[in-house]
Amino acid sequence: MLKVKLRQGVVLAGLFTLAACGGAGSGSGNGSAAVEATPAVAAKVSGYTEAYNALIDTFGLPRTADEYKGEKIATRSASDNITISQGWIEAAEGKLKTARALPGALGELDAKAEALDNALLKVLARLGPLYGYYNTKAYRQDGLKRGKAEDAAMTAEFDAALKAMEDFNDALVQQRRAGVDAELARFKAAGDMVGYNNKQAMQQAEDLVMLFNKPEDLKDPAVFAKADAIVGPLEKLLTDQQKAIAEAKPKATEPLRKSQLGVYGLVSDMLGTMIGQYRQLKQSHSGNDMKSMVDSYNNAVGMANDIN
């Protein structure tokens, strides 16, 4: 099944405003209350963002779960060579725990973070001992008895954690998007059109890749029609961004600003690559081309996160 794993961008302190979906002071569909825009709140959301990115990284939860399930323990014998991985789940869980402890009450997002943390701790509590069991080949001693006895529970705990991760990401996206307009307004008020364009482009790029969540989406004309409606304005925005960067460079006197403009240019280029991969996807309807497109988006997020 096609699952899009998108990295989240870093939230900059002082540039982020959280509110309920209906606007500041209103209620939201999930019961979250408006959250005052403070550096502490922004720092907590950034902490959650960092934890989520670590969790979906190369050796994060999805890959670790997939590798475990790929061993198909229930069908194996003690004479087989069985290996599993612990991945980097423990490090990601540590980042999540640190973020949860930061000041600022974020309602639904905090609740989803707690549920995810608890699910990850259950995974780690079973996965660690099982890793030792398979790593030392102890399963050869007991005829794989313990491995088969714990297989269903380990699989269920992985699945529960993956679901909790998706729920957490949904809440994180909602909280982050509540502040987009305020952040764009701040860039515009400061006369920073490069930052303004970059923020808009990243938002549109996210909207594009999130259209493709299921295998059938790759062949659905209605989905591609929605994608085309995003790609046109995004491509124009990237052209505007290159002009804005070129105009800003002669005015940049500080090394930090010069470095920022260079990274903004790389982000724009990577999003252009993503558009090219979308057009390839439109012809091929291939899951591999979709993965390339998502990888380019994630690389752009990584670059944008490096802008200080």
Side-chain angles (χ1 to χ4, degrees):
M1 181 172 65
L2 178 67
K3 294 299 292 183
V4 177
K5 302 297 181 186
L6 302 182
R7 296 186 71 188
Q8 295 283 348
V10 164
V11 181
L12 303 178
L15 291 180
F16 195 82
T17 301
L18 292 177
C21 289
S26 68
S28 71
N30 62 15
S32 296
V35 181
E36 182 183 359
T38 66
V41 164
K44 190 170 190 179
V45 177
S46 287
Y48 279 150
T49 299
E50 184 180 355
Y52 174 77
N53 285 344
L55 202 55
I56 67 166
D57 212 344
T58 305
F59 300 105
L61 176 64
R63 176 168 172 175
T64 304
D66 286 346
E67 288 181 349
Y68 176 83
K69 294 176 182 179
E71 288 295 331
K72 299 181 179 178
I73 303 298
T75 68
R76 307 298 289 277
S77 68
S79 61
D80 292 332
N81 184 33
I82 303 173
T83 59
I84 68 170
S85 170
Q86 297 183 89
W88 295 342
I89 298 175
E90 185 173 5
E93 188 277 330
K95 291 178 183 293
L96 181 62
K97 191 181 298 294
T98 298
R100 286 186 60 207
L102 292 174
L106 298 180
E108 185 76 3
L109 180 55
D110 282 336
K112 297 300 184 184
E114 181 179 8
L116 174 57
D117 199 10
N118 290 338
L120 291 174
L121 290 174
K122 289 181 180 179
V123 166
L124 291 170
R126 189 178 301 276
L127 182 60
L130 277 179
Y131 173 78
Y133 170 77
Y134 289 110
N135 189 47
T136 63
K137 307 298 182 187
Y139 66 89
R140 297 191 188 275
Q141 300 278 19
D142 71 350
L144 196 55
K145 182 178 179 180
R146 175 185 170 188
K148 290 193 173 185
E150 293 197 39
D151 181 51
M154 184 75 262
T155 299
E157 284 164 359
F158 270 129
D159 287 344
L162 288 166
K163 178 61 168 60
M165 184 186 75
E166 291 185 6
D167 291 345
F168 171 72
N169 183 47
D170 288 344
L172 180 59
V173 168
Q174 181 177 342
Q175 292 281 29
R176 291 173 52 76
R177 288 198 171 194
V180 169
D181 289 344
E183 191 171 351
L184 286 170
R186 288 178 184 271
F187 277 126
K188 201 164 189 177
D192 185 357
M193 292 309 298
V194 174
Y196 180 88
N197 291 340
N198 184 75
K199 185 67 180 178
Q200 276 199 319
M202 291 302 300
Q203 187 66 67
Q204 291 177 18
E206 180 181 323
D207 291 341
L208 175 63
V209 293
M210 287 188 71
L211 287 173
F212 301 95
N213 284 298
K214 307 181 297 297
E216 50 266 34
D217 291 339
L218 301 182
K219 297 182 180 180
D220 188 340
V223 173
F224 280 98
K226 292 178 182 178
D228 286 343
I230 296 172
V231 167
L234 174 58
E235 193 167 25
K236 181 182 182 302
L237 180 59
L238 294 179
T239 299
D240 293 342
Q241 176 71 326
Q242 292 294 357
K243 291 179 182 177
I245 292 171
E247 291 173 358
K249 281 183 177 179
K251 304 173 186 176
T253 57
E254 298 181 359
L256 176 59
R257 182 56 176 169
K258 290 180 180 178
S259 175
Q260 288 176 335
L261 291 173
V263 179
Y264 278 128
L266 293 175
V267 171
S268 182
D269 289 343
M270 186 57 64
L271 294 182
T273 297
M274 184 199 71
I275 289 175
Q277 289 162 338
Y278 163 73
R279 288 181 171 138
Q280 178 66 27
L281 170 66
K282 192 175 177 181
Q283 290 185 342
S284 70
H285 306 286
S286 163
N288 287 333
D289 286 333
M290 176 60 204
K291 182 180 182 303
S292 295
M293 183 179 157
V294 173
D295 287 345
S296 292
Y297 168 79
N298 284 338
N299 287 337
V301 172
M303 293 174 187
N305 285 351
D306 289 335
I307 299 173
N308 296 314

